[in-house]
Amino acid sequence: GAGVSQTPSNKVTEKGKYVELRCDPISGHTALYWYRQSLGQGPEFLIYFQGTGAADDSGLPNDRFFAVRPEGSVSTLKIQRTERGDSAVYLCASRQTSYGTGELFFGEGSRLTVL
Amino acid sequence: AQKVTQAQTEISVVEKEDVTLDCVYETRDTTYYLFWYKQPPSGELVFLIRRNSFDEQNEISGRYSWNFQKSTSSFNFTITASQVVDSAVYFCALSEAGQAGTALIFGKGTTLSVSS
């Protein structure tokens, strides 16, 4: 596609529920990143994929968070047993390659609200 | 450890004023990249510039200019003759180039409000 697409744009859920957030990167981009942005803060790194594999998941806050990218394109961020503190905008970004440091192209984010 | 500090939380200016957004970074690497992104109210982060650690030349792009000073670990961003459309949150970010795929580390951002 023309840009990074994220769905849903808004998600409201109740504490304890399971949530999936989807990211469709720019076609041909091999590197995909998930970030979380809380109100008034900069984006915080969660996980990055090179192809199908998670190359660095050091930013995932705990084991309730998990992400997959089974075919090396679309990625899904999964949050189990959601907590109110998980409320944030989840940003996805892609880059043509993980090597070098070209710019990241960001989607508009998925705003998650946990009641 | 990597760190990016944007000390200015909010800045308000009137149209046509010049404004400088400060960015100070910390890294142990000798090879790294610095970035500026703009986040308008729509929420999407828009890339503005990338600068590598070996290129200290200042850069100008239209009304935007960047001043990179390794000696003070700063990468400041100046908007000349600001316009209302410049109102956004601006983020400075750092990436260490030593490892492939290293993620960008962002500062907390500076909210710029330009009034007419």
Side-chain angles (χ1 to χ4, degrees), chain B residues 26-86:
Chain B
E26 295 176 30
T27 177
R28 293 180 184 173
D29 275 19
T30 56
T31 304
Y32 52 89
Y33 290 80
L34 296 163
F35 300 77
W36 276 94
Y37 278 83
K38 174 182 180 179
Q39 189 174 44
S42 62
E44 185 173 346
L45 282 156
V46 178
F47 168 81
L48 296 177
I49 190 173
R50 177 187 66 183
R51 177 54 52 116
N52 76 57
S53 54
F54 296 108
D55 182 1
E56 288 193 71
Q57 260 194 328
N58 291 331
E59 181 156 342
I60 298 175
S61 175
R63 296 185 297 107
Y64 295 170
S65 62
W66 291 269
N67 185 325
F68 176 30
Q69 294 200 357
K70 254 178 150 173
S71 60
T72 56
S73 297
S74 66
F75 186 45
N76 297 337
F77 172 32
T78 297
I79 302 175
T80 303
S82 59
Q83 299 176 2
V84 172
V85 293
D86 296 328

Side-chain angles (χ1 to χ4, degrees), chain A residues 21-48:
Chain A
L21 306 175
R22 174 189 166 107
C23 173
D24 197 345
I26 292 174
S27 178
H29 280 194
T30 60
L32 184 147
Y33 299 75
W34 283 100
Y35 283 80
R36 178 169 70 174
Q37 187 176 18
S38 301
L39 192 63
Q41 302 294 315
E44 293 178 286
F45 169 73
L46 295 177
I47 185 171
Y48 127 75

Side-chain angles (χ1 to χ4, degrees), chain B residues 94-108:
Chain B
L94 165 71
S95 177
E96 291 173 342
Q99 299 174 14
T102 305
L104 269 61
I105 302 301
F106 286 84
K108 292 189 175 182

Side-chain angles (χ1 to χ4, degrees), chain A residues 94-105:
Chain A
S94 69
R95 182 155 71 192
Q96 191 165 26
T97 173
S98 63
Y99 293 90
T101 51
E103 65 182 277
L104 291 184
F105 292 86

